[in-house]
Amino acid sequence: MFMVSINQDKCVGCGSCVDACPAKILGMEGDKAEVTGDAADCMGCETCVEICPSEAFTVMEL
Ligand code: SF4
Ligand code: SF4
């Protein structure tokens, strides 16, 4: 399984990751992105890593 984490200090709130995530587990909490869905559904596709303009994502395989 995969674990996604978001560096809140780096997130600039653009929202791009929310629509891009095929697992639909990302959402906005105020002006920051959060894992709002079931983190266990992360597929490890790294679409979020690629689309984020501020390199806020880390995806690790557990
Ligand atoms: S790695 Fe893929 S499935 Fe996991 S949070 Fe990022 S975009 Fe979503
Ligand atoms: S793509 Fe990156 S900067 Fe934009 S909302 Fe998501 S985590 Fe924040």
Side-chain angles (χ1 to χ4, degrees):
M1 81 181 268
F2 296 89
M3 192 179 80
V4 60
S5 59
I6 307 169
N7 184 327
Q8 298 286 312
D9 292 334
K10 288 186 176 179
C11 177
V12 295
C14 71
S16 299
C17 56
V18 175
D19 289 334
C21 174
K24 300 295 177 201
I25 60 172
L26 305 176
M28 301 302 292
E29 295 279 352
D31 60 354
K32 300 286 182 179
E34 294 265 15
V35 179
T36 51
D38 186 347
D41 287 345
C42 177
M43 308 170 193
C45 66
E46 299 200 0
T47 300
C48 52
V49 175
E50 288 164 21
I51 205 165
C52 178
S54 57
E55 301 182 345
F57 282 94
T58 305
V59 179
M60 288 192 311
E61 187 165 12
L62 302 179

